[in-house]
Amino acid sequence: MRTRLLAALCLLAPAAALAAKDPRCAGKPAARAARFSDTALKGASAAERYAAYVQACALEDVVALTQTLVRFKTVSSESPAAKNPEVAAMGRALEAWAKQHGFGFRTVGENDVFEVSWGEGEPLLGLVFHGDVVPAPAHEWKRAPFKPVVEKGRLYGRGVEDDKGPIASGLVALAMAKDLGLKPQGKVLIIIGNGEESDWSGMQKYAATQPKPTHVISVDSGYPVMAAQSGFVAWTLEAPVGTALATPKEGTVARAVDVSAGEFLTQVPGTATLKLAPVKGQTPEAVLAAVKAAIAAEAPSRKDLKAEAKREGGTVVLTTHGVAVHSSTADEGHNALWDLSAVAARLSLEDNGIAALLRVVAKRFDGDHHGDKLGLKYEDTLMGPLLVAPTVLRVKDGSVSLGVNMRRPQGQDAAAFNAALDAAAKRVGEDSGGQVKEGSGRYLGDPHVADTSGPLVKTLMGIYQRQRKEPDAVPGSIRGGTYARLFPRAVDFGPAFPKEPYTGHAPDESIALETLDLSTRMLAEAVHTLAVAPASEAKAAP
């Protein structure tokens, strides 16, 4: 059976799912499942029939269910799960879906975790996702982020890739197995946490108190199999803005009165702005001319510089534009803060907290993804180098603060890394004449590494190598932190393919229908191999 299944799966091209609808998929689930029964497909094994059913009919269901889930504005940073009506509404929709398809459903905590269950006995397989999403500022989007649409072979909407498309893939894969009368050897769980983008405490409690499945797969990063995760680091620098000088220093043109960049800690800012007011003896026109001159002077050394200046009443606003990406892939985007700090460094600004912090960005962060200028740089063979991204700059209550997100690999323990951060904070203080200091709330997460030689990694790698026809693919590591790190030996399996752009936290988030299709088919095979097939067969899987 195994050989025939593998041959069938390798012959099923992902692009086939984008062709005209297969007539066998018409009607209600029972009717279409009958067209893939052992009577209809004589001689085919259960695994082959399941693969054929998913190949022919899953994508349309996955797209429709993803669209349903995306319409719930489950932004956890705006309102935690316990108080978020959109999270509660999504829970009710998932419960109705589960009952319709004959699955169990329960809510754990105050909407912290939604759990869909199939089968009886001890948990055998857990598929882990998150139902919350990051904010979607309307001014950054060309489409309505919570009104998902399909355009030119891609599905657009906040959460389609991170993580509602994957949720739909997992649910549809289970529903189709059940349609065919397949039964798992133990309980299969779809585990949906609702605070991954903000507060992990709900899922942390779930992972610590609930029975742990034998195999846990998170579908929240990339392929082929992500067996390691960098540790998540949150670091803050801050300075008092200070009051304006009655007598500005000779040659000073302007005072920084406000600055803003980034929407949240885990996204590289695509836009950064600096508001400047003329000091005594200067005019807005003079400030505007100075800013335009600074932009022109900086442009030759920055081929990607996109900056403009304009008057707003008695002030001048400098804006720089970069490319917003998830902070775990910061080196694939363009940080607008770098450019803002570089242009500001060419201006004669009054020495207040905003100017001081921008000087720190220019000296210690600009052009450096790996913390070399801060004295933090190190790397690991499997997990790669430390990643450092300044992401959120704000003025509030008389202080200016910079949020910095780092992703640290194994190779340096917590004590050593904390000491390195202490030294970096000291350097920053010296750079700014004592104005800029480390703020409160330092957070240092540990790297997570799974067993790359265990049956889970081997099984999933075999699925990926066959489906993608990449026999030399090897397990990888991600800089992001997913719920997999909360479960021993858990790994990530999709949804992003290598060399494809990851849009999970970016404006106009999207996912290719072809990717949704292939991800669903690979997840379905994983469900069958790890939970439905006899235990002896699962153990024998390559």
Side-chain angles (χ1 to χ4, degrees):
M1 180 177 76
R2 185 75 183 170
T3 302
R4 295 174 63 187
L5 168 62
L6 302 188
L9 290 174
C10 290
L11 290 173
L12 293 172
L18 308 182
K21 182 177 179 180
D22 192 314
R24 295 176 297 174
C25 300
K28 295 182 178 180
R32 65 183 189 178
R35 302 178 188 119
F36 296 87
S37 66
D38 53 0
T39 301
L41 299 179
K42 292 182 179 179
S45 69
E48 290 170 322
R49 292 188 290 104
Y50 180 34
Y53 185 26
V54 172
Q55 164 67 25
C57 307
L59 182 59
E60 186 175 8
D61 290 1
V62 170
V63 170
L65 183 53
T66 302
Q67 290 176 312
T68 296
L69 297 175
V70 169
R71 292 187 184 104
F72 297 106
K73 190 180 178 182
T74 53
V75 181
S76 57
S77 63
E78 295 178 358
S79 180
K83 299 179 180 179
N84 194 319
E86 294 289 319
V87 171
M90 185 177 72
R92 291 192 294 271
L94 287 167
E95 182 175 15
W97 185 94
K99 289 182 177 178
Q100 178 187 352
H101 290 84
F103 294 122
F105 179 89
R106 69 174 180 138
T107 297
V108 182
E110 297 183 273
N111 288 333
D112 294 319
V113 178
F114 299 139
E115 184 187 271
V116 177
S117 60
W118 176 40
E120 304 294 335
E122 294 299 313
L124 176 57
L125 175 64
L127 303 179
V128 179
F129 311 87
H130 65 87
D132 63 318
V133 297
V134 296
H139 67 277
E140 293 186 352
W141 285 65
K142 297 176 182 178
R143 302 165 182 83
F146 298 102
K147 295 181 179 179
V149 294
V150 175
E151 295 178 6
K152 297 180 180 180
R154 297 189 72 86
L155 176 59
Y156 288 84
R158 177 55 89 213
V160 295
E161 184 167 29
D162 186 28
D163 213 8
K164 293 179 178 179
I167 291 173
S169 290
L171 290 170
V172 170
L174 261 60
M176 290 187 145
K178 194 170 187 299
D179 289 346
L180 291 175
L182 302 179
K183 295 182 179 180
Q185 301 296 310
K187 189 174 289 185
V188 178
L189 303 176
I190 299 284
I191 303 166
I192 304 169
N194 293 312
E196 197 269 351
E197 303 291 5
S198 56
D199 180 3
W200 282 37
S201 59
M203 182 60 96
Q204 286 172 330
K205 184 176 180 179
Y206 176 93
T209 60
Q210 301 300 309
K212 293 178 176 58
T214 303
H215 303 296
V216 176
I217 302 170
S218 166
V219 190
D220 189 26
S221 63
Y223 293 110
V225 174
M226 295 299 134
Q229 296 184 12
S230 296
F232 185 97
V233 179
W235 195 50
T236 304
L237 298 175
E238 61 184 20
V241 174
T243 56
L245 297 176
T247 304
K249 183 179 178 181
E250 185 178 351
T252 302
V253 174
R255 169 183 170 81
V257 295
D258 195 14
V259 69
S260 177
E263 300 292 340
F264 38 91
L265 188 65
T266 56
Q267 185 191 63
V268 169
T271 303
T273 61
L274 174 64
K275 182 178 287 189
L276 301 167
V279 298
K280 185 177 180 180
Q282 298 289 342
T283 65
E285 290 80 6
V287 175
L288 181 60
V291 174
K292 288 184 175 180
I295 293 172
E298 186 64 28
S301 62
R302 290 176 185 264
K303 63 178 181 178
D304 296 325
L305 179 64
K306 295 180 181 179
E308 73 265 358
K310 64 179 181 179
R311 278 192 59 180
E312 286 188 358
T315 64
V316 173
V317 177
L318 164 65
T319 303
T320 57
H321 303 278
V323 178
V325 294
H326 194 289
S327 60
S328 66
T329 58
D331 47 358
E332 297 176 11
H334 185 93
N335 197 321
L337 251 178
W338 288 358
D339 294 338
L340 189 77
S341 70
V343 174
R346 292 182 176 273
L347 296 169
S348 297
L349 300 180
E350 184 178 299
D351 189 18
N352 65 3
I354 297 175
L357 196 47
L358 285 172
R359 288 198 305 272
V360 167
V361 173
K363 182 175 182 178
R364 297 293 181 180
F365 292 91
D366 182 15
D368 180 11
H369 288 295
H370 305 302
D372 191 25
K373 294 179 179 179
L374 285 165
L376 299 173
K377 185 177 180 179
Y378 75 101
E379 62 183 285
D380 173 72
T381 303
L382 170 65
M383 304 178 71
L386 171 74
L387 191 70
V388 177
T391 55
V392 181
L393 185 60
R394 287 288 187 276
V395 173
K396 184 179 180 181
D397 299 330
S399 294
V400 57
S401 64
L402 175 67
V404 181
N405 187 207
M406 305 182 195
R407 309 299 172 115
R408 72 183 191 97
Q410 62 182 353
Q412 200 174 91
D413 64 22
F417 194 80
N418 272 315
L421 284 178
D422 291 340
K426 183 179 179 181
R427 293 186 188 96
V428 165
E430 293 170 349
D431 293 341
S432 62
Q435 291 184 81
V436 180
K437 299 179 180 180
E438 180 176 357
S440 61
R442 178 192 295 189
Y443 176 81
L444 189 66
D446 292 323
H448 166 80
V449 182
D451 179 9
T452 57
S453 63
L456 177 60
V457 172
K458 287 186 175 181
T459 296
L460 297 179
M461 282 303 306
I463 292 170
Y464 178 86
Q465 289 166 344
R466 291 189 302 273
Q467 290 279 11
R468 293 279 288 183
K469 298 180 180 179
E470 295 179 14
D472 297 327
V474 296
S477 171
I478 61 170
R479 294 162 173 162
T482 74
Y483 282 149
R485 66 192 306 116
L486 301 180
F487 299 87
R489 301 177 303 282
V491 300
D492 275 281
F493 190 54
F497 286 106
K499 299 181 181 180
E500 289 185 3
Y502 179 76
T503 65
H505 283 202
D508 290 299
E509 178 179 347
S510 67
I511 190 168
L513 299 186
E514 198 167 348
T515 295
L516 271 180
D517 172 56
L518 183 54
S519 292
T520 305
R521 291 191 287 119
M522 290 200 292
L523 203 55
E525 187 182 352
V527 168
H528 189 277
T529 304
L530 295 167
V532 176
S536 58
E537 181 178 332
K539 289 179 180 178

